[in-house]
Each structure stands twice: as structure tokens, then as C-alpha cells.
């Protein structure tokens, strides 16, 4: 029986260039050798990676926020998320920071819900989605937000309502969609206790524990 599992592989690159470098990401152009020996040019966004947090409270509600996303001209309901700004940064620490900064919340129990590549055909972004439980209000001053985050709305919504919205085509943020469906699958299967620990290895973005 064939094992259905993604495998790491790297085809030969004959030439590479970086025609654009932005604040957090860049665009790279690679000339890649195909299996038949031909060379094809591939353009893609180089991304540092991200973390996202599906924060579930004791009432089965998920903490979500609504934020303007200019590329798609929408305000999207999302789960807390952010970039891995520091190379090699521990993703759990980054996720804890994002939950604090965006929602002023801390969590006692952390597990890896799933790991995904958001757009593997055109971007190198890898996202680790955490499940956070045992929520409570964070101590100290609230983090001072700016730009799009200054206009965010916060809400707590039952998990089943998010799943309904996903399947109805009303919710579109990839981390929210993946997180809500993955948690629903875990709850209906072997349970959240079977999820990987928060410090599980992440080959896509290696880090120091």
C-alpha cells in the first residue's frame, strides 16, 4: 500500500535572481531543470513563514478577529496570526506573542493543530497552526496596534458556526478554514490529546527548542 506523505525534494536550479526585495518578503526567479531535461523559469514569493492560533475557550468558542486585507479588497474574519520575523525563531513563542498582541489573551495548553504551505505553486510560505486552550486575559498593558490592526474587531464564535460559514463560502481566510476543519476532524476522531506537542519538529522552518 502506498504511503500518502509529502516528501522533500529539490530539482536542479541553473540560474537564480531576485528582481524584487520588499520589507518582509521578496520575489525570486529560478531556472529549474525539469525531468525531461528542459529548463523552465519559475517566479515565486520568498516568505519567512507564519504562525496562526486557533484559540478555543471553555465554552467551545473560537477567538477570531476581522481585519482589512488590501490585496483581496475584503475585511476577513481570521484567527490570530503573524510572521516569523526572526530566522530560526521558535514558532510556539511567536504564536504566544501574536495571541497576546492581537487579542491580549494567554493560554495554558498548546498543541500543533496542523502545518500547511499556503500557496506552494507561487509562494514559499509555511504556516504552523496551533491549538490553544485554557484561555485567560493577559496581564499588563495592551499591545499598541497600528495600520490595519487598529481597525480590528474581535469576537468569540462557536466552532460549529465557523465550519458552517466555511462550507457556505462565507469565510475565506486560509488559516481559519484549515484550523476550524482540522479541529473538527480531531474532535470527531482520536481527540485533541492525540495532536502533536507544541514543540514538535517543523522541517519547513527548523527552530531551536
Amino acid at each position: 500500500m502506498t504511503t500518502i506523505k509529502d516528501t522533500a525534494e529539490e530539482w536542479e536550479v541553473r540560474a537564480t535572481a531576485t528582481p524584487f526585495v520588499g520589507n518582509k518578503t521578496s520575489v525570486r526567479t529560478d531556472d529549474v531543470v525539469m525531468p525531461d531535461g528542459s529548463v523552465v523559469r519559475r517566479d515565486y514569493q520568498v516568505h519567512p513563514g507564519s504562525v496562526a492560533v486557533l484559540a478555543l475557550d471553555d465554552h467551545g468558542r473560537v477567538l477570531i478577529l476581522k481585519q482589512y486585507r488590501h490585496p483581496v479588497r475584503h475585511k476577513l474574519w481570521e484567527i490570530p496570526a503573524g510572521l516569523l520575523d526572526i530566522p530560526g525563531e521558535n514558532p510556539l513563542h511567536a504564536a504566544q506573542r501574536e495571541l497576546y498582541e492581537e487579542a491580549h489573551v494567554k493560554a495554558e495548553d498548546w498543541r500543533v493543530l496542523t502545518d500547511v504551505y499556503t500557496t506552494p505553486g507561487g509562494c514559499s510560505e509555511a504556516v504552523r497552526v496551533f491549538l490553544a486552550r485554557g484561555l485567560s486575559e493577559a496581564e499588563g498593558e495592551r499591545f499598541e496596534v497600528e495600520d490595519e490592526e487598529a481597525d480590528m474587531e474581535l469576537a468569540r464564535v462557536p466552532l460549529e458556526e465557523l465550519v458552517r460559514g466555511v462550507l457556505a463560502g462565507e469565510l475565506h481566510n486560509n488559516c481559519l478554514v484549515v484550523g476550524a476543519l482540522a479541529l473538527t476532524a480531531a474532535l470527531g476522531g482520536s481527540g485533541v490529546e492525540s495532536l502533536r506537542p507544541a514543540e514538535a519538529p517543523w522541517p519547513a522552518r527548523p527552530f531551536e527548542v
Side-chain angles (χ1 to χ4, degrees), residues 54 56 62 113 131 159 178-188 192 195:
L54 194 148
L56 186 71
V62 177
L113 190 52
L131 171 65
L159 175 62
V178 168
L181 297 182
L183 179 57
T184 299
L187 291 172
V192 297
L195 294 172

Side-chain angles (χ1 to χ4, degrees), residues 12 16-17 24 37 40 58 62-63 74 76 82 86-87 98-99 101 113 127 141 152 156 158 166 170 178 181 206 209:
E12 180 186 355
T16 187
K24 298 292 185 181
V40 176
D58 294 338
V62 177
L63 191 157
H74 268 71
L76 300 179
I86 305 168
E98 292 300 333
L99 186 60
E101 291 182 356
L113 190 52
V127 179
E141 295 290 325
M152 287 194 307
R156 295 194 183 200
V166 168
E170 298 168 357
V178 168
L181 297 182
V209 176

Side-chain angles (χ1 to χ4, degrees), residues 54-136:
L54 194 148
L56 186 71
D57 69 17
D58 294 338
H59 302 287
R61 300 175 303 177
V62 177
L63 191 157
I64 58 174
L65 50 91
K66 197 173 192 179
Q67 185 171 346
Y68 177 65
R69 294 301 187 182
H70 186 70
V72 295
R73 308 305 199 268
H74 268 71
K75 273 191 171 183
L76 300 179
W77 283 107
E78 307 179 351
I79 57 177
L83 296 174
L84 290 168
D85 295 310
I86 305 168
E89 182 178 15
N90 187 305
L92 174 60
H93 299 166
Q96 292 169 332
R97 180 187 69 236
E98 292 300 333
L99 186 60
Y100 165 74
E101 291 182 356
E102 295 191 349
H104 201 65
V105 166
K106 62 181 180 179
E108 295 299 320
D109 184 80
W110 290 81
R111 296 174 189 274
V112 175
L113 190 52
T114 189
D115 298 324
V116 295
Y117 290 112
T118 56
T119 319
C123 180
S124 68
E125 182 182 16
V127 179
R128 169 155 281 187
V129 183
F130 288 92
L131 171 65
R133 297 182 299 167
L135 308 184
S136 62

Side-chain angles (χ1 to χ4, degrees), residues 34-51:
M34 298 290 108
D36 65 358
S38 63
V39 178
V40 176
R41 181 156 292 178
R42 293 287 179 256
D43 303 314
Y44 59 99
Q45 182 184 22
V46 179
H47 195 287
S50 306
V51 291

